[in-house]
Amino acid sequence: RHREPGLAGLSDLAAIETAVRSRSERADVDELLLALLRQAARPDAPWADLAGRTVLQLMLPKAVAIARSQRGRLPDPDERISAVVACLYETIRGYPVERRQHSVAGNLGLDTLHLLQRRTGKSTPDELPVDPADPLFDPPQRGEDPIAGLLSCLQRALDLQVIDAADE
Protein backbone atom coordinates (compact mmCIF):
# COMPACT_ATOMS: atom_id res chain seq x y z
CA ARG A 1 0.00 0.00 0.00
CA HIS A 2 3.02 2.30 0.33
CA ARG A 3 3.88 1.81 -3.35
CA GLU A 4 0.34 2.07 -4.77
CA PRO A 5 -1.90 5.07 -4.06
CA GLY A 6 -4.95 2.97 -4.96
CA LEU A 7 -4.28 0.77 -1.94
CA ALA A 8 -3.78 3.59 0.57
CA GLY A 9 -5.71 3.04 3.76
CA LEU A 10 -6.22 -0.68 3.12
CA SER A 11 -4.29 -2.63 5.74
CA ASP A 12 -5.20 -6.28 5.08
CA LEU A 13 -7.01 -8.70 2.78
CA ALA A 14 -10.34 -8.17 4.55
CA ALA A 15 -10.11 -4.39 3.97
CA ILE A 16 -9.19 -4.90 0.32
CA GLU A 17 -12.02 -7.39 -0.17
CA THR A 18 -14.51 -5.04 1.49
CA ALA A 19 -13.31 -2.18 -0.72
CA VAL A 20 -13.65 -4.27 -3.89
CA ARG A 21 -17.11 -5.57 -2.97
CA SER A 22 -18.44 -2.21 -1.79
CA ARG A 23 -17.33 -0.03 -4.69
CA SER A 24 -20.14 0.60 -7.09
CA GLU A 25 -18.01 2.05 -9.88
CA ARG A 26 -16.17 -0.46 -12.03
CA ALA A 27 -13.34 2.06 -12.52
CA ASP A 28 -12.70 2.06 -8.75
CA VAL A 29 -12.54 -1.74 -8.66
CA ASP A 30 -10.28 -1.72 -11.72
CA GLU A 31 -7.96 0.74 -9.96
CA LEU A 32 -7.65 -1.55 -6.92
CA LEU A 33 -7.08 -4.67 -9.00
CA LEU A 34 -4.56 -2.92 -11.25
CA ALA A 35 -2.60 -1.75 -8.23
CA LEU A 36 -2.36 -5.33 -6.99
CA LEU A 37 -1.59 -6.69 -10.46
CA ARG A 38 1.24 -4.19 -10.95
CA GLN A 39 2.85 -5.45 -7.79
CA ALA A 40 2.20 -9.10 -8.67
CA ALA A 41 3.98 -8.62 -12.00
CA ARG A 42 7.26 -7.61 -10.30
CA PRO A 43 9.13 -10.92 -9.93
CA ASP A 44 12.02 -9.29 -8.06
CA ALA A 45 9.75 -7.84 -5.37
CA PRO A 46 9.31 -9.85 -2.17
CA TRP A 47 5.65 -8.78 -1.99
CA ALA A 48 4.78 -9.95 -5.54
CA ASP A 49 3.52 -13.34 -4.32
CA LEU A 50 1.33 -11.68 -1.70
CA ALA A 51 -0.17 -9.29 -4.25
CA GLY A 52 -0.84 -12.16 -6.66
CA ARG A 53 -2.42 -14.29 -3.96
CA THR A 54 -4.59 -11.36 -2.91
CA VAL A 55 -5.99 -11.03 -6.44
CA LEU A 56 -6.40 -14.81 -6.56
CA GLN A 57 -8.39 -14.71 -3.32
CA LEU A 58 -10.60 -11.94 -4.71
CA MET A 59 -11.20 -13.92 -7.91
CA LEU A 60 -12.03 -17.27 -6.25
CA PRO A 61 -15.79 -16.93 -6.83
CA LYS A 62 -15.07 -16.48 -10.54
CA ALA A 63 -12.70 -19.47 -10.47
CA VAL A 64 -15.46 -21.64 -9.00
CA ALA A 65 -17.88 -20.47 -11.70
CA ILE A 66 -15.34 -21.28 -14.42
CA ALA A 67 -14.71 -24.71 -12.90
CA ARG A 68 -18.44 -25.47 -12.84
CA SER A 69 -18.78 -24.49 -16.47
CA GLN A 70 -16.02 -26.86 -17.57
CA ARG A 71 -17.39 -30.18 -16.25
CA GLY A 72 -17.29 -31.76 -19.70
CA ARG A 73 -13.67 -30.78 -20.25
CA LEU A 74 -12.32 -32.12 -16.94
CA PRO A 75 -14.73 -34.54 -15.24
CA ASP A 76 -12.81 -34.88 -11.94
CA PRO A 77 -13.86 -31.92 -9.74
CA ASP A 78 -10.59 -31.74 -7.78
CA GLU A 79 -8.51 -31.80 -10.94
CA ARG A 80 -10.81 -29.22 -12.55
CA ILE A 81 -10.63 -26.65 -9.72
CA SER A 82 -6.88 -27.16 -9.39
CA ALA A 83 -6.42 -26.52 -13.10
CA VAL A 84 -8.60 -23.40 -12.98
CA VAL A 85 -6.74 -21.97 -9.97
CA ALA A 86 -3.37 -22.66 -11.64
CA CYS A 87 -4.53 -20.95 -14.84
CA LEU A 88 -5.93 -18.02 -12.87
CA TYR A 89 -2.67 -17.53 -10.98
CA GLU A 90 -0.67 -17.66 -14.21
CA THR A 91 -3.05 -15.12 -15.74
CA ILE A 92 -2.65 -12.85 -12.71
CA ARG A 93 1.14 -12.95 -12.78
CA GLY A 94 1.26 -12.17 -16.50
CA TYR A 95 -1.63 -9.72 -16.80
CA PRO A 96 -0.78 -6.89 -19.26
CA VAL A 97 -1.48 -4.00 -16.87
CA GLU A 98 -0.42 -1.25 -19.26
CA ARG A 99 -2.60 -2.46 -22.15
CA ARG A 100 -5.77 -3.65 -20.40
CA GLN A 101 -6.94 -1.23 -17.74
CA HIS A 102 -10.70 -1.62 -18.03
CA SER A 103 -12.95 -4.50 -16.94
CA VAL A 104 -10.02 -6.09 -15.16
CA ALA A 105 -11.98 -8.76 -13.28
CA GLY A 106 -13.81 -9.76 -16.44
CA ASN A 107 -10.58 -9.90 -18.41
CA LEU A 108 -8.94 -12.06 -15.74
CA GLY A 109 -11.88 -14.45 -15.87
CA LEU A 110 -11.94 -14.71 -19.66
CA ASP A 111 -8.17 -15.06 -19.92
CA THR A 112 -8.30 -17.83 -17.33
CA LEU A 113 -11.05 -19.63 -19.21
CA HIS A 114 -9.17 -19.38 -22.51
CA LEU A 115 -5.94 -20.63 -20.94
CA LEU A 116 -7.76 -23.56 -19.33
CA GLN A 117 -9.43 -24.46 -22.62
CA ARG A 118 -6.13 -24.34 -24.49
CA ARG A 119 -4.46 -26.51 -21.87
CA THR A 120 -7.23 -29.10 -21.64
CA GLY A 121 -8.24 -29.23 -25.29
CA LYS A 122 -7.95 -32.49 -27.17
CA SER A 123 -4.40 -32.88 -28.38
CA THR A 124 -5.26 -35.43 -31.04
CA PRO A 125 -8.41 -35.82 -33.09
CA ASP A 126 -10.62 -38.85 -32.57
CA GLU A 127 -9.57 -41.75 -34.73
CA LEU A 128 -12.00 -43.78 -36.78
CA PRO A 129 -11.62 -47.57 -36.71
CA VAL A 130 -10.72 -48.28 -40.31
CA ASP A 131 -8.53 -50.76 -42.09
CA PRO A 132 -6.16 -48.93 -44.45
CA ALA A 133 -6.36 -51.85 -46.88
CA ASP A 134 -10.15 -51.54 -47.14
CA PRO A 135 -10.91 -50.92 -50.85
CA LEU A 136 -13.93 -48.79 -49.94
CA PHE A 137 -11.60 -46.02 -48.78
CA ASP A 138 -9.67 -45.86 -52.03
CA PRO A 139 -10.55 -42.95 -54.31
CA PRO A 140 -12.95 -43.84 -57.12
CA GLN A 141 -11.29 -45.07 -60.30
CA ARG A 142 -11.92 -43.56 -63.68
CA GLY A 143 -15.22 -44.77 -65.09
CA GLU A 144 -16.67 -45.82 -61.69
CA ASP A 145 -19.98 -44.41 -60.53
CA PRO A 146 -19.15 -41.90 -57.72
CA ILE A 147 -22.64 -42.24 -56.22
CA ALA A 148 -22.26 -45.99 -55.85
CA GLY A 149 -18.90 -45.42 -54.14
CA LEU A 150 -20.47 -42.91 -51.77
CA LEU A 151 -23.29 -45.30 -50.89
CA SER A 152 -20.73 -48.04 -50.22
CA CYS A 153 -18.80 -45.72 -47.91
CA LEU A 154 -21.99 -44.82 -46.05
CA GLN A 155 -22.87 -48.49 -45.65
CA ARG A 156 -19.36 -49.17 -44.34
CA ALA A 157 -19.72 -46.28 -41.86
CA LEU A 158 -22.95 -47.86 -40.62
CA ASP A 159 -21.21 -51.23 -40.28
CA LEU A 160 -18.39 -49.65 -38.26
CA GLN A 161 -20.98 -47.79 -36.14
CA VAL A 162 -19.37 -44.46 -36.99
CA ILE A 163 -22.84 -43.19 -37.85
CA ASP A 164 -26.27 -44.33 -36.79
CA ALA A 165 -29.01 -45.29 -39.26
CA ALA A 166 -31.26 -42.71 -37.59
CA ASP A 167 -28.79 -39.92 -38.44
CA GLU A 168 -29.90 -37.68 -41.25
Side-chain angles (χ1 to χ4, degrees), residues 64-131:
V64 169
I66 292 169
R68 284 186 182 144
S69 75
Q70 299 302 302
R71 284 189 184 119
R73 194 170 287 277
L74 287 168
D76 180 71
D78 292 333
E79 182 182 348
R80 187 172 56 244
I81 193 66
S82 294
V84 170
V85 169
C87 289
L88 176 57
Y89 193 69
E90 187 175 334
T91 300
I92 288 167
R93 293 303 293 261
Y95 189 81
V97 175
E98 299 305 320
R99 285 186 305 136
R100 297 172 74 195
Q101 298 187 357
H102 302 288
S103 302
V104 177
N107 286 332
L108 285 169
L110 287 174
D111 289 352
T112 299
L113 177 62
H114 290 145
L115 181 58
L116 177 74
Q117 289 176 340
R118 279 196 312 269
R119 294 247 168 98
T120 59
K122 290 185 178 181
S123 58
T124 59
D126 291 333
E127 293 185 21
L128 297 177
V130 297
D131 179 4

Side-chain angles (χ1 to χ4, degrees), residues 12-85:
D12 58 12
L13 177 60
I16 293 171
E17 185 175 17
T18 301
V20 167
R21 307 276 184 244
S22 67
R23 304 237 170 135
S24 60
E25 293 296 319
R26 184 181 299 183
D28 294 338
V29 174
D30 286 344
E31 181 184 336
L32 282 172
L33 290 174
L34 287 169
L36 290 166
L37 289 167
R38 273 191 292 275
Q39 297 306 309
R42 298 180 59 188
D44 58 326
W47 56 84
D49 286 339
L50 179 60
R53 289 189 58 192
T54 302
V55 176
L56 180 72
Q57 185 72 31
L58 293 169
M59 294 293 297
L60 278 179
K62 186 61 163 173
V64 169
I66 292 169
R68 284 186 182 144
S69 75
Q70 299 302 302
R71 284 189 184 119
R73 194 170 287 277
L74 287 168
D76 180 71
D78 292 333
E79 182 182 348
R80 187 172 56 244
I81 193 66
S82 294
V84 170
V85 169

